[in-house]
Amino acid sequence: MPTIPVTVLGPAESGKTVYLASLFRRLAIPRPDLGFHVQLPPEQSTRLNKVYQRITSPDAWPDPQRRADISEWEFTCSVRTARDETYSPFSLTYLDYSGEHLTEPDGRVEAGDRVLGRIEESEFLLVLLDGVKVLRFLDGDLRLMEDLVAVFSHMLRSRAVVHFVITKWDVLAGAGHTVRTVRDRLMRHPDFRDTVETLLSLDRTRTVRFIPVSSVGLDFAALASDGMTMVKKGGFPAPLNVEIPFMAVLLDLFETQLKEMERHAPPESQQIDQRGRRLAWVRMVADRMPLVRTVLHTAAMRSPLMRLVRDHMTDAVLHYVETQVAAYGERIEQDITQLRDHLLRATSEKEALNGLVDVFQAKLTAFEAEYPGSRIVEGEASWTTARTA
């Protein structure tokens, strides 16, 4: 099972740890509207559940990640096939770390080198935009861009596919903002616009998404009077869209996996046909063994030499041949059974992945309809800038 590195990029306090805990709680349970679920090693599962309990507690939020602390979470993606078997095509590893490694790098800290190396090797990057800082940016505070320029410089060293995740969407939605207005305002900043246009010009991607998420939901917390911190209002979290970035990543992976399965799948049907022909030949030989005995018996009546063969060798030789033919036939039958089982399993796995692709495409289509402007395709960035200038 291959492991795909996915890295969440975000400055300090952008909500990386809270997002991962909320994502795990959403995906750890098989849900009819998702079609898949994830698993973590027991120790990691316990740790993320404790983080989520901290989120739901009325008194405090999870402690921010310390610079020296780095956690790597391995999400195994599992799908239930038509044969009622669990199929795990691959796992994704997420890296959790202090955002200071991006905005305030310290060459003396070995952990910082690990973070930067991981960014460069990742196949997918999720860039978290802190919703509170985005709100202040919309009011003219440009400190968001100061943090993001540092993030972008690391991001563009990678060959990964990139999506932007706008966290704490409850704050922006409460202020009356939409994804389109937020996106267009961000795109008016030359550093942001040039970064997106660079991403869209590369061969690895033709789409950049802006995905609004709230790890706690629209009514669990509110912005305090200081305009910076979040205060809990009580009740239970109702995470919003946390699985959408995950689905955007998985959709690309599943489509790639299906292409590979088509390209490299062994021709089981041809092998079954070949072994079927061998089995037919073996059965024909077995059916003709009584005829061989009759021919030898007839020949023995005409020749003293053949009579000697019949009396001293026929039974032993024919018994040996019959035994070998039977054993060979059993091996062929076992091969055919295994090939058919493999063919059924491969078909079931492909059907499961195709089903997930359909689910994800439907979910993303519905998401884009609910949040117009959440997707920019190649050639649209300049048009968007001109329209909002």
Side-chain angles (χ1 to χ4, degrees), residues 30 35-37 39 77-89 261 337-338 340-353 356:
F36 76 105
H37 64 282
Q39 295 173 306
C77 303
S78 298
V79 186
R80 181 70 67 176
T81 71
R83 305 179 73 196
D84 200 29
E85 297 175 345
T86 299
Y87 168 50
S88 300
M261 293 171 77
T337 300
Q338 291 175 355
R340 283 177 175 163
D341 184 68
H342 188 272
L343 182 61
L344 287 172
R345 185 166 59 251
T347 301
S348 182
E349 290 171 356
K350 284 196 287 187
E351 288 175 351
L353 284 184
L356 275 185

Side-chain angles (χ1 to χ4, degrees), residues 197-243:
E197 289 183 338
T198 298
L199 291 173
L200 290 171
S201 69
L202 301 175
D203 291 337
R204 61 177 177 260
T205 184
R206 288 292 180 264
T207 299
V208 171
R209 295 182 183 274
F210 291 78
I211 305 174
V213 305
S214 174
S215 299
V216 295
L218 299 179
D219 299 314
F220 182 77
L223 194 60
S225 57
D226 63 6
M228 299 176 61
T229 57
M230 300 294 293
V231 178
K232 297 177 182 180
K233 298 192 295 185
F236 296 98
L240 176 71
N241 295 337
V242 292
E243 73 275 11

Side-chain angles (χ1 to χ4, degrees), residues 294-312 314:
T294 301
V295 170
L296 286 175
H297 182 76
T298 301
M301 296 176 64
R302 301 173 184 163
S303 168
L305 178 60
M306 293 305 298
R307 193 160 45 246
L308 182 64
V309 170
R310 183 197 64 183
D311 293 342
H312 296 281
T314 300

